[in-house]
Amino acid sequence: MVAKCQVISLCRSLLRAGCKYPDYNIREYTKRRTLDGFRMNKNLTDPSKVNDAYAEGKEHLEVVERVLKVYLAYPPKTKSIMELKVQ
């Protein structure tokens, strides 16, 4: 069984990784998707389902970190409307 502190640590890691994206839309999407996923699974009690959800979360963290590395290596040339400053 996965400990509660491990689950909280995974959630925080996903949120931190999502905050590193320079694009507003991707930052907000990863934040929303992370919180929705953890809220959806908060009532799991079966140890096997908890372990499966935790493993899926770890896989998502690896994907987020991998995509972040690529995204930082090749940033988009245009900014989103949310990142433009009012002149």
Side-chain angles (χ1 to χ4, degrees), residues 4-71:
K4 183 177 180 180
C5 63
Q6 290 176 307
V7 173
I8 293 171
S9 175
L10 176 62
C11 182
R12 292 179 71 187
S13 296
L14 280 162
L15 290 172
R16 279 191 198 116
C19 286
K20 293 179 184 177
Y21 280 99
D23 186 2
Y24 172 82
N25 292 325
I26 297 176
R27 274 195 314 267
E28 290 300 310
Y29 172 76
T30 55
K31 180 173 127 181
R32 185 177 62 247
R33 178 63 184 98
T34 298
L35 294 176
D36 288 347
F38 277 86
R39 286 182 187 132
M40 185 178 65
N41 292 322
K42 74 178 182 179
N43 295 324
L44 291 179
T45 55
D46 184 23
S48 65
K49 289 184 180 180
V50 171
N51 288 336
D52 291 343
Y54 182 77
E56 182 181 348
K58 291 291 271 186
E59 290 173 9
H60 284 298
L61 178 60
E62 291 172 4
V63 169
V64 167
E65 289 174 342
R66 189 170 53 240
V67 170
L68 177 63
K69 289 178 186 175
V70 171
Y71 198 86

